Amino acid sequence: MNDTYLIIILFGSFLGLMIMGAPISVSLGVAALSSIIYLDENPIKLVQVAFTSVGSFPLMALPAFVLAGALMEAAGISKRLVLLAESFAGPVTGGIGAATVLACMFFGAISGSGPATTAAVGMLMIPAMVKRGYDKGYASALTASAGGLGIIIPPSIPMVIFGISAIGMSVPREAIELHGEFQTVSISKMFIAGVFPGLVISCSLLILNYIRCRRLGYKGTEEGWSARHILHAIRSGVWSILAPLVILGGIYSGFFTPTESAIVAIFYTLFVGVFIYRELTWKKIVDSLETTTWLTGRILMILFTATVFGRVLVENQIPAVVAESMLNLTDNLYLIWAMIILFLLFVGMFMETLAAIMILTPVLLPVTYSLGIDPIHFGIVMICTLSIGFATPPLGENLFVASGISNISLERVTSQALPFAFVSTVAVFVIAYVPEITLFLPHFFGY
């Protein structure tokens, strides 16, 4: 009975505050504090747990990756990547739309953020698509949907957060007896595992883009491919192409850790922006630092409170209760995956991705581990599913960004984005049901 009251207090106060419009960090913090007071524990514990949550070495990658992404946009690196993708569009039906998806993949490999990817690519590609005769709503919807690749293509901020959330995970004793002691999730392994799932979702968007463009009559350029144009784009963007190669190559080769790679990315961008492209001014650097400070502070506030919320869940065995309840419904792996994916799709419509990861990882990871699902596989599926929430209402951050860039109504963008959300969901089911897509590269590299 006490556990029932605790669950009502914890989730009731959280949902009540969310409905009243309170910020998610406030909702999480108040819910956790209410539960600690109900349990008659010292409230100072909340502060201690919150500060301990930011003491991990991997978390240092968070502000570094945010700063690297902001600097790359200011230095002109992201602009050249987008122009390079556009040069390959040529006469292919829907080619400029396909170039938008590719540009989001390129930028996702250096930003790690969905809205940042949508903003950086959308500023260039939405006007370019409209100039080629594309409907503004379609151009905006495609960019918003492809912007979700920013958190799937490594390096990814949500992957870092998932790795931190899995630390000290409590799993049922029966699961340990069946599958062995739970191992801490490696962020490097998460980065490697995200490559093929990112390509699967990208291919689903490219296929639907081709089908819809063919039906709508959005053709490519009449003059065909221009070798001169492509070579010019490659020459001007060669240093931009090297950016994701340096970051990912160093991680995959084991030359440096994900945290160290973020620092390498910052110095690489400073060198290219100041000495090669000469577009990175002191004002742009200061603006990038301001953006980093604001975004990192916002994320850390959620991290503080979500960590305490998760600690209350784990210490009171609530994840074990949820796991047992789900396993009592069915032990069919495919049905469990379907329930988890549909639940995450629903959560992603109303909650920020990082907060959802921090709250739900302690709840859902024990369930999947009890079924023998690799924690890395679950983490990738979770992030892929939540990425769809960037382009689904009512939260849909990418929809707001794309709508603002194209200056059209949110409803117009949303209606065009729903088919892309559907094919992305189908792709997520494929990734979940075929674990080799996620785990092939980690096994290949010996993780």
Side-chain angles (χ1 to χ4, degrees), residues 48-273:
Q48 293 171 338
V49 172
F51 276 95
T52 302
S53 68
V54 294
S56 62
F57 178 70
L59 192 60
M60 291 175 61
L62 175 61
F65 274 128
V66 173
L67 178 57
L71 287 173
M72 285 181 179
E73 186 174 357
I77 289 178
S78 58
K79 176 177 67 178
R80 286 169 173 81
L81 286 174
V82 170
L83 294 175
L84 176 63
E86 186 183 4
S87 70
F88 285 99
V92 177
T93 298
I96 190 70
T100 300
V101 177
L102 294 176
C104 287
M105 290 175 62
F106 284 144
F107 192 75
I110 54 179
S111 78
S113 166
T117 300
T118 303
V121 175
M123 291 293 289
L124 296 170
M125 298 306 282
I126 291 177
M129 283 190 278
V130 172
K131 189 177 179 181
R132 296 276 184 92
Y134 285 63
D135 175 69
K136 270 189 177 182
Y138 180 84
S140 302
L142 177 60
T143 308
S145 302
L149 296 170
I151 69 168
I152 303 172
I153 303 294
S156 161
I157 294 171
M159 289 182 187
V160 175
I161 298 299
F162 177 81
I164 294 168
S165 302
I167 293 175
M169 187 59 58
S170 174
V171 298
R173 182 178 300 173
E174 295 80 5
I176 294 175
E177 292 174 356
L178 280 173
H179 310 294
E181 192 68 37
F182 182 84
Q183 300 296 317
T184 301
V185 174
S186 163
I187 295 174
S188 296
K189 190 175 179 180
M190 287 288 294
F191 282 1
I192 296 173
V195 174
F196 281 173
L199 292 176
V200 169
I201 294 180
S202 300
C203 287
S204 71
L205 295 175
L206 289 170
I207 292 169
L208 182 60
N209 171 69
Y210 176 81
I211 293 171
R212 294 183 72 182
C213 287
R214 188 172 182 178
R215 182 171 58 84
L216 295 169
Y218 298 150
K219 301 185 181 298
T221 57
E222 294 181 358
E223 63 270 18
W225 278 291
S226 170
R228 182 180 177 185
H229 185 202
I230 293 173
L231 288 173
H232 175 73
I234 292 174
R235 277 199 302 268
S236 64
V238 63
W239 288 96
S240 300
I241 299 170
L242 286 175
L245 293 180
V246 167
I247 297 170
L248 299 179
I251 295 172
Y252 296 168
S253 65
F255 193 72
F256 40 71
T257 67
T259 304
E260 292 165 346
S261 73
I263 308 302
V264 171
I266 291 172
F267 281 98
Y268 178 87
T269 304
L270 289 172
F271 173 77
V272 172

Side-chain angles (χ1 to χ4, degrees), residues 202-379:
S202 300
C203 287
S204 71
L205 295 175
L206 289 170
I207 292 169
L208 182 60
N209 171 69
Y210 176 81
I211 293 171
R212 294 183 72 182
C213 287
R214 188 172 182 178
R215 182 171 58 84
L216 295 169
Y218 298 150
K219 301 185 181 298
T221 57
E222 294 181 358
E223 63 270 18
W225 278 291
S226 170
R228 182 180 177 185
H229 185 202
I230 293 173
L231 288 173
H232 175 73
I234 292 174
R235 277 199 302 268
S236 64
V238 63
W239 288 96
S240 300
I241 299 170
L242 286 175
L245 293 180
V246 167
I247 297 170
L248 299 179
I251 295 172
Y252 296 168
S253 65
F255 193 72
F256 40 71
T257 67
T259 304
E260 292 165 346
S261 73
I263 308 302
V264 171
I266 291 172
F267 281 98
Y268 178 87
T269 304
L270 289 172
F271 173 77
V272 172
V274 174
F275 297 106
I276 307 296
Y277 295 154
R278 299 182 179 180
E279 294 184 19
L280 196 59
T281 62
W282 278 112
K283 184 180 184 307
K284 288 183 176 180
I285 292 175
V286 171
D287 290 342
S288 297
L289 289 170
E290 288 179 355
T291 300
T292 302
T293 303
W294 177 83
L295 184 57
T296 303
R298 178 167 163 259
I299 293 171
L300 287 178
M301 281 298 296
I302 297 173
L303 180 63
F304 280 162
T305 51
T307 300
V308 181
F309 190 94
R311 182 67 66 86
V312 173
L313 287 174
V314 171
E315 288 183 352
N316 292 277
Q317 300 297 312
I318 294 175
V321 174
V322 174
E324 185 179 353
S325 301
M326 290 189 71
L327 294 175
N328 284 338
L329 288 174
T330 178
D331 59 357
N332 185 290
L333 183 61
Y334 298 106
L335 288 178
I336 295 259
W337 265 129
M339 287 192 291
I340 290 174
I341 290 171
L342 293 175
F343 174 65
L344 290 174
L345 285 172
F346 177 77
V347 169
M349 294 169 61
F350 298 94
M351 190 179 293
E352 290 178 314
T353 301
L354 299 182
I357 291 171
M358 290 295 298
I359 296 169
L360 297 177
T361 297
V363 177
L364 296 178
L365 192 53
V367 178
T368 57
Y369 193 72
S370 297
L371 292 167
I373 297 172
D374 190 291
I376 296 294
H377 182 209
F378 168 72

